[in-house]
Amino acid sequence: MADAMHWLIQTYIDKDCNKKPTFAMINGGFIRGDRQYSPGSDFTVRHILKELPFPRTMEVLEIQGVHLRDAMRQQLQGSSKGPTGAFPHLSSNSRLEYLIEDVNDNAVTILSFKVNGIEVDDEQLYIIGVTSFVADGNEGCKSWTRSNRLRNAAWDDSFISKVLLQYLSCHRTITPLLEGRVKRR
């Protein structure tokens, strides 16, 4: 899903913004069907609507690295016993490694956070696709609200399910892999 969001941004973003590192994140709780599909399975519109039942739109944010890093830390809080609904799932051009220092208070430390193979810089501006739920600072992840929302007809008012349908119409075959995009140490 995050790859579909990243693809949409890369396809339609303004050329000046495209010079900034760009990626996407979807929170794990957004995907609700909890079903595994065997290789070669059909994946229909009905499946997409079951897996993505929330009528939420995609938002594209411009956010400074320091706030981005803090937002990811907030997304990871509460995950000491396993992923929560806020747990971040990143597009394929991103990697995040973190440590939970104290299981009782969920003190999360980001050890490494890379976009396009380069460590996130606190001063750099980044472009990230997220759900409107995340952009609004829900789940206690208030650092997302320290961003600017970028407007574009390609994603404004586009439900996440529509973004995935667009992606699949251009990418008829997908091969999901477990790549370790987000790792706990």
Side-chain angles (χ1 to χ4, degrees):
M1 189 64 243
D3 286 340
M5 296 163 68
H6 181 240
W7 166 81
L8 186 68
I9 298 167
Q10 289 296 103
T11 302
Y12 293 102
I13 197 158
D14 178 273
K15 299 298 180 220
D16 290 333
C17 287
N18 200 24
K19 295 174 186 164
K20 297 174 185 144
T22 303
F23 69 110
M25 185 277 297
I26 189 146
N27 56 309
F30 193 83
I31 302 168
R32 286 299 176 119
D34 199 27
R35 181 171 172 211
Q36 292 185 8
Y37 297 86
S38 301
S41 296
D42 287 336
F43 193 68
T44 66
V45 172
R46 174 181 267 158
H47 291 113
I48 290 171
L49 296 176
K50 185 175 180 179
E51 297 292 338
L52 306 172
F54 301 114
R56 301 265 194 240
T57 57
M58 178 171 152
E59 295 289 339
V60 178
L61 309 177
E62 181 181 59
I63 188 167
Q64 191 174 9
V66 65
H67 303 303
L68 175 61
R69 189 178 290 274
D70 196 44
M72 286 297 174
R73 186 187 56 72
Q74 291 170 354
Q75 293 287 147
L76 290 162
Q77 284 183 326
S79 64
S80 63
K81 293 176 181 64
T84 66
F87 193 85
H89 297 270
L90 304 176
S91 55
S92 62
N93 67 323
S94 313
R95 297 291 183 272
L96 178 73
E97 188 174 353
Y98 68 100
L99 176 69
I100 297 179
E101 297 174 34
D102 183 343
V103 176
N104 294 323
D105 72 4
N106 290 317
V108 177
T109 300
I110 303 289
L111 301 173
S112 175
F113 185 13
K114 294 181 179 182
V115 177
N116 299 329
I118 301 169
E119 193 66 33
V120 168
D121 179 335
D122 285 352
E123 302 303 316
Q124 170 78 42
L125 288 174
Y126 293 84
I127 307 295
I128 182 169
V130 296
T131 65
S132 55
F133 182 79
V134 168
D136 291 340
N138 289 299
E139 301 271 3
C141 304
K142 298 297 180 197
S143 287
W144 294 115
T145 62
R146 307 224 23 195
S147 63
N148 295 314
R149 294 184 191 213
L150 302 180
R151 297 287 165 219
N152 186 305
W155 57 73
D156 285 352
D157 301 320
S158 285
F159 289 122
I160 297 293
S161 55
K162 179 183 172 192
V163 172
L164 183 57
L165 285 167
Q166 285 178 281
Y167 179 79
L168 292 174
S169 72
C170 293
H171 302 84
R172 305 298 289 176
T173 302
I174 57 171
T175 308
L177 301 170
L178 293 176
E179 300 173 316
R181 298 176 190 185
V182 180
K183 289 183 182 179
R184 179 178 174 185
R185 190 177 339 153

